[in-house]
Amino acid sequence: MSNKDTDSGLEFLESPEGLAGELTKFEKNLEKNRNIFFIVGGVIVAALAGWLGYHWYVNSQDEQAQAVLFNPVFAIESDSLNKALKGSGGNPGLLAIADEYSVTPAGNLANFYAGTALLKQGKFDEAIERLKSFSSSDLLVQARAYSLIGDAYMEKNNAEEAISYYQKAVDYKPNAYFTPMYMVKLGIAYEKAKKNQEAIEVYGNLIEKYPQSSEVLNAKKFKGLLESAAE
């Protein structure tokens, strides 16, 4: 920095008039932008309040949904499917709970139970709709929902759609306990779709990846039959 620049800076610091001028400019800029600051701050506060309010609402609704979900779940486990779906004795059923509490985890779970009950009743399209509305990160239930959708499509003689959902069940967090069962269903769906080579590959993968599974015997049998028919 040159002596001239240093002297200029010292003059500014030592000059009351220069300092007052800079403060005046700062105050004008602050006044000019004050409304913007208030607006941005207000938006942030409103967004935070809305987020907190929404989560409080969802939590309170979920508590109510869990309370009313007990009776229809008990009914479905007792094979009282109509009571489970439509309710009884002034208690709402799974369909009403799923619709009324749709934003809550319990309402989401009601869709799964409703889909299961509707599938048992042979109402395949309604079952598919409810099960597709269900979503979970759970290791077991989401894959089970995909598999049930596949079952519904198989009942509708739509093997291609069944293959799609059985594949989703197989791919969702694979494990030695349930994945082999979904693989057998996938293989059977491929057979129904006349895609025997794909079925052979699925059975082969099951035998290789899950040799301790109880489904291996079926996989070996089905694979052997397909390979014999191809000779």
Side-chain angles (χ1 to χ4, degrees), residues 47-69:
L48 180 59
W51 182 84
L52 292 172
Y54 175 76
H55 280 272
W56 175 86
Y57 171 77
V58 170
N59 289 335
S60 63
Q61 289 287 291
D62 190 51
E63 289 178 4
Q64 295 178 31
Q66 288 182 38
V68 296
L69 192 58

Side-chain angles (χ1 to χ4, degrees), residues 167 170 183-184 186-188 190-191 195-210 219-220 222-224 226-227:
Q167 188 66 64
V170 169
M183 294 180 80
V184 168
L186 177 60
I188 292 172
Y190 272 127
E191 289 189 55
K195 296 182 177 180
N196 291 347
Q197 188 55 46
E198 287 86 343
I200 289 172
E201 290 178 7
V202 170
Y203 296 138
N205 287 336
L206 193 164
I207 294 166
E208 179 182 349
K209 293 181 179 179
Y210 304 103
K220 288 181 177 178
F222 298 154
K223 182 173 181 285
L226 290 174
E227 288 173 336

Side-chain angles (χ1 to χ4, degrees), residues 31-220:
E31 185 68 29
K32 181 179 178 181
N33 295 312
R34 182 177 296 171
N35 289 338
I36 295 176
F37 295 149
F38 284 150
I39 291 171
V40 173
V43 169
I44 293 172
V45 171
L48 180 59
W51 182 84
L52 292 172
Y54 175 76
H55 280 272
W56 175 86
Y57 171 77
V58 170
N59 289 335
S60 63
Q61 289 287 291
D62 190 51
E63 289 178 4
Q64 295 178 31
Q66 288 182 38
V68 296
L69 192 58
F70 176 80
N71 284 328
V73 169
F74 180 79
I76 198 174
E77 291 176 350
S78 303
D79 282 333
S80 300
L81 300 181
N82 280 325
K83 286 183 179 180
L85 289 166
K86 298 179 180 179
S88 62
N91 297 311
L94 293 168
L95 299 177
I97 295 169
D99 292 340
E100 184 175 351
Y101 300 96
S102 59
V103 299
T104 70
N108 180 48
L109 190 59
N111 270 318
F112 175 82
Y113 283 119
T116 302
L118 289 164
L119 182 59
K120 288 183 177 181
Q121 288 186 333
K123 298 176 180 178
F124 305 123
D125 289 328
E126 294 176 55
I128 290 169
E129 181 181 354
R130 290 291 174 176
L131 290 166
K132 284 184 177 180
S133 296
F134 171 76
S135 177
S136 173
S137 60
D138 183 85
L139 171 66
L140 305 179
V141 185
Q142 182 61 70
R144 174 65 174 161
Y146 288 145
S147 178
L148 290 172
I149 295 172
D151 292 347
Y153 277 120
M154 284 290 279
E155 293 289 348
K156 286 167 59 66
N157 293 314
N158 189 338
E160 292 294 341
E161 284 294 332
I163 288 169
S164 174
Y165 280 92
Y166 286 144
Q167 188 66 64
K168 287 184 178 183
V170 169
D171 293 339
Y172 189 83
K173 300 182 180 181
N175 60 87
Y177 300 100
F178 297 97
T179 302
M181 176 178 63
Y182 303 143
M183 294 180 80
V184 168
K185 289 187 175 186
L186 177 60
I188 292 172
Y190 272 127
E191 289 189 55
K192 188 168 184 178
K194 309 299 183 185
K195 296 182 177 180
N196 291 347
Q197 188 55 46
E198 287 86 343
I200 289 172
E201 290 178 7
V202 170
Y203 296 138
N205 287 336
L206 193 164
I207 294 166
E208 179 182 349
K209 293 181 179 179
Y210 304 103
Q212 304 303 318
S213 171
S214 61
E215 298 292 345
V216 165
L217 290 178
N218 281 331
K220 288 181 177 178

